[in-house]
């Protein structure tokens, strides 16, 4: 969508425009990055595909009474969102070992974790999103203990919902990243940022084929096809 709105911020995958003091537009781009910007590229139709997937998932979360920033999908690349002050923490929720957790402990990717594991990273590209503990979070004043408790509670509820949504379409939710913010509309903590194959690891239930951004990160090929496959399985179109 061509827009005359003021650009507030351009991130790696989205551009945020000011709609009014309480609402923004998020425009989903085809740009892809990995390893905190070290690897750059573009994935055909990613903006439209991720917007379709993310809007669908956020509608489900809104209907399940998880407070989120999502208001509605406006067009193929754009969402209307509540403006938030982002909490500078990336929350990683893991159901199986993979990625940095597998590397850290030398445990094979795909090994089941009995209860979902939550980890936190400081949201800082310059520092490479370092992993942090709750003690670091409170020392750095990133949020207070009550807010972190709520973040954990919402994250586990989101995990339960997303796991079952993906399971229904033959996908295993290996892990994912969430962000939260304080809404300018409600003044409450809300789930924010995107949920898509950029931010989730999704494996085919039967073959364990990777259908997410690891195809881009690891040069596995078939990147657009993987994103399209996730979208098609969810019954969505661009
Ligand atoms: P990791 O294994 O690299 O720590 O990533 C765990 C999950 O979080 C994986 O699904 C990718 C996602 N993630 C992001 O979306 N953005 C990030 O900046 C990071 C560190 C992870
Ligand atoms: N989102 C991060 C980046 O764009 C990390 C990743 O997804 O690998 O660099």
């Amino acid at each position: 969508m061509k827009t005359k709105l003021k650009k507030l911020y351009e991130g790696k995958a989205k551009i945020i425009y000011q709609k009014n003091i309480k609402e923004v537009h998020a425009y989903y781009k085809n740009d892809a990055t990995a390893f905190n910007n070290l690897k750059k590229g573009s994935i055909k139709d990613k903006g439209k595909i991720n917007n379709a997937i993310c809007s669908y998932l956020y509608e489900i979360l809104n209907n399940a009474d998880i407070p989120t920033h999502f208001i509605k999908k406006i067009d193929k690349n754009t969402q209307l969102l509540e403006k938030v002050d982002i909490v500078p923490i990336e929350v990683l929720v893991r159901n199986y070992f993979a990625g940095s957790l597998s590397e850290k402990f030398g445990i094979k990717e795909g090994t089941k974790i009995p209860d979902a594991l939550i980890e936190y990273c400081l949201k800082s590209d310059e520092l490479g999103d370092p992993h942090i503990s709750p003690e670091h979070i409170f020392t750095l004043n990133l949020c207070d203990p009550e807010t972190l408790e709520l973040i954990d509670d919402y994250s586990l509820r989101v995990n339960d919902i997303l796991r079952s949504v993906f399971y229904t379409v033959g996908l295993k939710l290996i892990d994912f990243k969430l962000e939260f913010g304080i809404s300018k509309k409600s003044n409450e903590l809300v789930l924010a940022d995107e949920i898509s194959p950029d931010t989730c690891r999704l494996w085919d239930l039967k073959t364990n084929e990777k259908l997410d951004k690891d195809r881009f990160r690891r040069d596995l090929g078939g990147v657009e096809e993987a994103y399209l496959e996730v979208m098609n399985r969810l019954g969505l179109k661009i």
Side-chain angles (χ1 to χ4, degrees):
M1 185 187 63
K2 289 257 180 341
T3 178
K4 291 206 174 73
L5 302 179
K6 181 180 158 224
K7 191 195 275 194
L8 281 182
Y9 168 81
E10 178 154 3
K12 288 175 288 190
K14 291 179 291 297
I15 307 174
I16 305 298
Y17 297 95
Q18 171 105 8
K19 168 97 188 309
N20 55 52
I21 52 166
K22 293 184 176 173
E23 293 174 343
V24 296
H25 283 185
Y27 178 89
Y28 279 65
K29 303 191 287 184
N30 291 341
D31 298 352
T33 67
F35 315 116
N36 295 308
N37 249 343
L38 286 177
K39 184 181 170 89
K40 290 187 182 147
S42 172
I43 300 170
K44 186 169 171 279
D45 287 334
K46 179 170 83 82
K48 295 184 178 67
I49 298 170
N50 278 1
N51 184 27
I53 295 171
C54 181
S55 295
Y56 173 74
L57 297 174
Y58 263 96
E59 272 165 24
I60 293 174
L61 296 172
N62 278 348
N63 287 333
D65 285 333
I66 308 266
T68 83
H69 70 160
F70 182 82
I71 301 171
K72 63 176 183 179
K73 182 178 170 187
I74 300 177
D75 64 30
K76 284 184 190 299
N77 285 80
T78 317
Q79 298 174 358
L80 177 65
L81 304 172
E82 291 179 10
K83 194 173 176 194
V84 299
D85 284 326
I86 209 84
V87 178
I89 300 172
E90 299 194 349
V91 182
L92 308 182
V93 184
R94 302 180 183 271
N95 297 306
Y96 297 82
F97 279 82
S100 68
L101 190 69
S102 281
E103 270 174 43
K104 196 187 292 179
F105 295 110
I107 293 178
K108 191 171 176 283
E109 289 203 309
T111 307
K112 182 92 184 80
I113 298 171
D115 290 311
L117 173 71
I118 297 184
E119 296 179 308
Y120 313 99
C121 295
L122 176 66
K123 188 174 158 63
S124 164
D125 281 346
E126 302 79 61
L127 299 174
D129 295 344
H131 284 241
I132 50 175
S133 66
E135 288 76 10
H136 291 136
I137 290 176
F138 307 139
T139 302
L140 297 170
N141 233 335
L142 304 178
C143 74
D144 58 36
E146 295 72 41
T147 304
L148 193 63
E149 217 172 289
L150 206 51
I151 286 177
D152 284 357
D153 177 48
Y154 290 160
S155 298
L156 293 176
R157 282 165 60 192
V158 169
N159 184 40
D160 285 342
I161 294 165
L162 295 185
R163 253 174 24 176
S164 87
V165 168
F166 286 122
Y167 184 82
T168 314
V169 297
L171 293 170
K172 208 156 38 174
L173 179 59
I174 301 292
D175 60 27
F176 57 99
K177 187 256 314 179
L178 295 176
E179 294 185 26
F180 292 85
I182 306 296
S183 166
K184 296 275 188 204
K185 242 183 180 166
S186 65
N187 238 355
E188 303 282 345
L189 183 79
V190 295
L191 182 67
D193 202 38
E194 78 179 271
I195 307 174
S196 73
D198 267 11
T199 63
C200 300
R201 284 196 173 94
L202 297 162
W203 292 10
D204 181 81
L205 215 46
K206 290 205 184 93
T207 65
N208 283 339
E209 187 187 6
K210 293 177 172 48
L211 295 168
D212 56 61
K213 195 169 150 190
D214 272 347
R215 302 207 73 85
F216 170 77
R217 293 189 189 98
R218 302 177 188 188
D219 295 320
L220 300 177
V223 185
E224 192 209 346
E225 291 77 4
Y227 281 61
L228 278 171
E229 175 72 20
V230 172
M231 185 185 76
N232 291 336
R233 286 200 198 187
L234 292 169
L236 307 168
K237 288 199 173 68
I238 51 173

